[in-house]
Amino acid sequence: VIQKAENPKAIVIATGTEVDLAIKSIKLLKIPVTLVSMPCMELYDTQPFEYKRSLFPKGVPIISIEASCPYPWEKYSHQHLGVQTYGVSAPAPKVYEYFGLYPEKIAENINHVVDFYKDREVPDLLDRP
């Protein structure tokens, strides 16, 4: 846990350079958000259920931020923010901007996810086979 919020409205998972991006994005929000760094999914998967639950309590939407492939993140988050396609070539800041990976857009997307689950049950990602 990089930043723990009391009664978070959302949990953001990031790894590598996206952790800094997540920190900047969370600072723009008016809601409490917990930030978790997950540099190794395989190591996380070996952890006890109680530890996982301490990171990801029931009823809190989880948003992942990772510039690369989104496919493994559906196991860990309700919404993934990142590169969803191939074929974009430009300097990294331009690619990040193209895919909405800048603090203002990420903050907007986090708010959108929180609003989406305001009147819905948040699926428990830990409670599945």
Side-chain angles (χ1 to χ4, degrees), residues 28-77:
L28 299 174
L29 297 168
K30 295 181 181 180
I31 58 172
V33 176
T34 292
L35 174 58
V36 174
S37 175
M38 189 183 289
C40 181
M41 293 172 181
E42 292 82 7
L43 180 59
Y44 167 81
D45 287 340
T46 67
Q47 300 305 306
F49 180 83
E50 295 76 22
Y51 173 75
K52 293 176 186 178
R53 178 59 74 208
S54 74
L55 295 176
F56 305 114
K58 284 185 177 184
V60 182
I62 304 165
I63 300 101
S64 56
I65 304 171
E66 171 61 51
S68 69
C69 182
Y71 304 113
W73 289 103
E74 72 270 359
K75 179 178 176 183
Y76 307 101
S77 65

Side-chain angles (χ1 to χ4, degrees), residues 61-127:
I62 304 165
I63 300 101
S64 56
I65 304 171
E66 171 61 51
S68 69
C69 182
Y71 304 113
W73 289 103
E74 72 270 359
K75 179 178 176 183
Y76 307 101
S77 65
H78 297 98
Q79 180 67 42
H80 176 70
L81 307 176
V83 176
Q84 304 289 338
T85 185
Y86 297 100
V88 176
S89 180
K94 292 285 186 189
V95 173
Y96 273 54
E97 183 179 334
Y98 179 84
F99 286 106
L101 292 173
Y102 55 93
E104 295 80 9
K105 187 65 174 177
I106 291 171
E108 178 185 319
N109 283 318
I110 292 169
N111 278 325
H112 175 74
V113 172
V114 170
D115 286 344
F116 178 84
Y117 283 113
K118 195 172 281 183
D119 299 319
R120 293 176 173 90
E121 185 176 340
V122 179
D124 186 358
L125 297 176
L126 295 179
D127 188 24

